[in-house]
Amino acid sequence: MRRIYLDHNATTPVHPDALKAMLPFLEANYGNPSSIHFLGREARAALDDARERLAKLLGAKPGEIVFTGSGTEADNQAVFGAVRAMKGKGRHVITSAVEHHAVLHSCEHLREHEGVEVTMLPVDGDGIVSPDAVRSAIRDDTALVSVMWANNETGALQPVREIGAICRDRGVLFHTDAVQAFGKVPVKVSDVPVDLLSVSGHKVYGPKGVGALWIRPRTKIEPLLHGGSHENDRRAGTENVAGIAGFVRAAEITTARTGSEDARLRALTERLWQGSSGRIERIRRNGPADQRVANTLNVSFAGCKSDALLMSLDLEGICVSSGSACAVGSLKPSPVLLAMGLGTEMANAAVRFSLGAATTEADVDAVLGVMPGIVARLRSFAA
Ligand code: PLP
């Protein structure tokens, strides 16, 4: 059976060169980078090299990068670390209604268990946060603003530059979850006024279980993990040398092709949207048509259920998602789509197509070939 993978926002296949970069550290060069002997020194050199290269990609200095065990950990480290480091002086956090659970649930935990007030900013119909809303929400005791760079469900790009400038002006720390932006749009901390930035390996054709948090120099941050003095005393635990080597090699390859991929993937997602809206009635595009990462298209098919659409496409060998992978199985409508003003029925009828490096026009046309029939069949059951 054909296999068409249109779920790259959930995860990406590991690039062969990234795998090649990992293998030595799983085979002969298995040393612990904290060991003094030559095997340890080899691992340390690889870690230093990876840190330097990731820093270069982000427009940062190597000492500002902390490798983590995931994008989720980087987000948790940013939110908990920044607020706790203020030792009770910052009792207020601002975030948005469309953040990934890694940020949202961290903020909720702070509210429920550490007495922190959380302002959840609304979004407009396209899922965009207004910089003016950030400006109005900042208080004297605001410890942190956390607004993502690109949304995982709709691809919407937030005005991080403007939000960062407001935070800088008011002396408030700004964290951005750039997990879905990195590799899809240029992400440079030298260009955007940001203090903390999260990235993840498996969204950029690297391995799962590795990420990084960039921390602006002199930013006070409390570690999440305690133990050894790894990562400059900021993240205890023996580093995942192979994972880090694979992540950084993949990030280099992916960021180098961002420009050409943007045009190609934008044309493919437009082809998918135009083809769908031309063939199928009562559908809605969720999220901005232009202000988005190029690979993502989110569509609601009125009268169908997301899970039925997913299963029908699955039977055709087509992998898509109904929203964030972590929420799958819960059958709850996507909070992101609800926050954008969709009713429960349309939020429950959404499919996220997220294209990637291997996606071709033929893949898109194959989806267009089966989609009208699937939708008609599901609508006839519901009628
Ligand atoms: N932030 C966003 C926007 C994401 O899309 C994801 C993954 O889906 C994460 C954070 C979490 O990254 P990881 O899967 O590496 O924990």
Side-chain angles (χ1 to χ4, degrees):
M1 190 173 75
R2 70 178 163 205
R3 276 167 65 145
I4 298 177
Y5 185 75
L6 302 181
D7 203 14
H8 291 80
N9 288 8
T11 197
T12 54
V14 175
H15 191 284
D17 289 355
L19 177 63
K20 223 182 276 171
M22 296 173 72
L23 287 175
F25 306 102
L26 297 168
E27 294 176 333
N29 304 357
Y30 51 79
N32 181 328
S34 299
S35 297
I36 303 294
H37 50 64
F38 67 93
L39 271 179
R41 293 198 305 275
E42 274 171 18
R44 166 65 52 192
L47 189 58
D48 290 347
D49 178 55
R51 198 184 306 282
E52 231 166 79
R53 286 158 51 198
L54 181 61
K56 193 162 166 222
L57 294 180
L58 291 173
K61 298 248 159 50
E64 300 160 7
I65 306 275
V66 173
F67 285 113
T68 63
S70 60
T72 298
E73 187 192 318
D75 284 343
N76 274 250
Q77 174 63 76
V79 174
F80 286 110
V83 173
R84 288 176 182 163
M86 293 188 78
K87 306 220 183 310
K89 274 191 237 136
R91 304 312 305 160
H92 179 230
V93 170
I94 298 169
T95 189
S96 87
V98 295
E99 297 301 305
H100 190 270
H101 282 165
V103 166
L104 273 188
H105 290 178
S106 296
C107 291
E108 282 165 12
H109 188 97
L110 282 173
R111 182 178 58 207
E112 278 158 35
H113 302 282
E114 301 185 28
V116 172
E117 250 186 90
V118 178
T119 298
M120 194 86 83
L121 297 173
V123 291
D124 67 13
D126 277 339
I128 308 283
V129 175
S130 144
D132 283 338
V134 175
R135 187 182 286 111
S136 318
I138 292 177
R139 316 189 316 207
D140 289 344
D141 63 348
T142 303
L144 179 74
V145 172
S146 181
V147 175
M148 70 203 320
W149 195 310
N151 184 268
N152 41 303
E153 291 187 41
T154 63
L157 287 165
Q158 299 296 348
V160 285
R161 217 171 288 275
E162 291 85 341
I163 294 173
I166 292 165
C167 293
R168 172 117 344 142
D169 188 46
R170 300 288 300 271
V172 175
L173 286 181
F174 177 45
H175 166 244
T176 188
D177 172 345
V179 166
Q180 293 290 350
F182 189 45
K184 300 187 181 112
V185 291
V187 171
K188 293 263 187 207
V189 296
S190 41
D191 291 348
V192 176
V194 54
D195 301 295
L196 297 153
L197 180 138
S198 313
V199 289
S200 172
H202 73 115
K203 312 289 185 180
V204 295
Y205 302 85
K208 296 166 186 60
V210 58
L213 179 65
W214 170 80
I215 307 174
R216 182 173 291 284
R218 289 179 291 287
T219 305
K220 289 207 174 71
I221 188 142
E222 188 79 14
L224 212 54
L225 301 183
H226 300 272
S229 57
H230 312 87
E231 297 295 291
N232 267 327
D233 277 331
R234 289 179 296 190
R235 197 266 185 187
T238 303
E239 295 87 351
N240 174 3
V241 183
I244 290 167
F247 167 27
V248 173
R249 184 71 200 107
E252 286 175 337
I253 294 163
T254 305
T255 53
R257 64 186 182 201
T258 295
S260 56
E261 277 297 87
D262 186 274
R264 195 182 72 83
L265 292 169
R266 206 165 282 276
L268 286 179
T269 42
E270 279 313 310
R271 185 181 183 89
L272 185 52
W273 169 245
Q274 297 300 339
S276 301
S277 54
R279 289 171 174 83
I280 310 169
E281 287 178 351
R282 294 194 292 132
I283 70 173
R284 177 193 198 276
R285 182 178 195 157
N286 302 317
D290 299 320
Q291 194 183 326
R292 63 175 171 101
V293 287
N295 79 317
T296 308
L297 175 69
N298 191 309
V299 181
S300 288
F301 298 86
C304 302
K305 289 268 188 299
S306 306
D307 53 347
L309 287 162
L310 251 64
M311 281 187 275
S312 305
L313 286 166
D314 181 65
L315 290 173
E316 299 286 344
I318 299 166
C319 304
V320 297
S321 162
S322 61
S324 70
C326 332
V328 165
S330 60
L331 277 184
K332 283 199 204 118
S334 148
V336 170
L337 299 181
L338 293 179
M340 288 163 58
L342 271 77
T344 312
E345 197 212 322
M346 283 303 262
N348 267 332
V351 172
R352 176 186 72 184
F353 302 94
S354 50
L355 284 51
T359 310
T360 61
E361 222 168 69
D363 293 338
V364 169
D365 291 348
V367 175
L368 291 173
V370 296
M371 207 70 208
I374 290 173
V375 172
R377 189 168 47 82
L378 295 178
R379 282 179 178 166
S380 74
F381 293 157

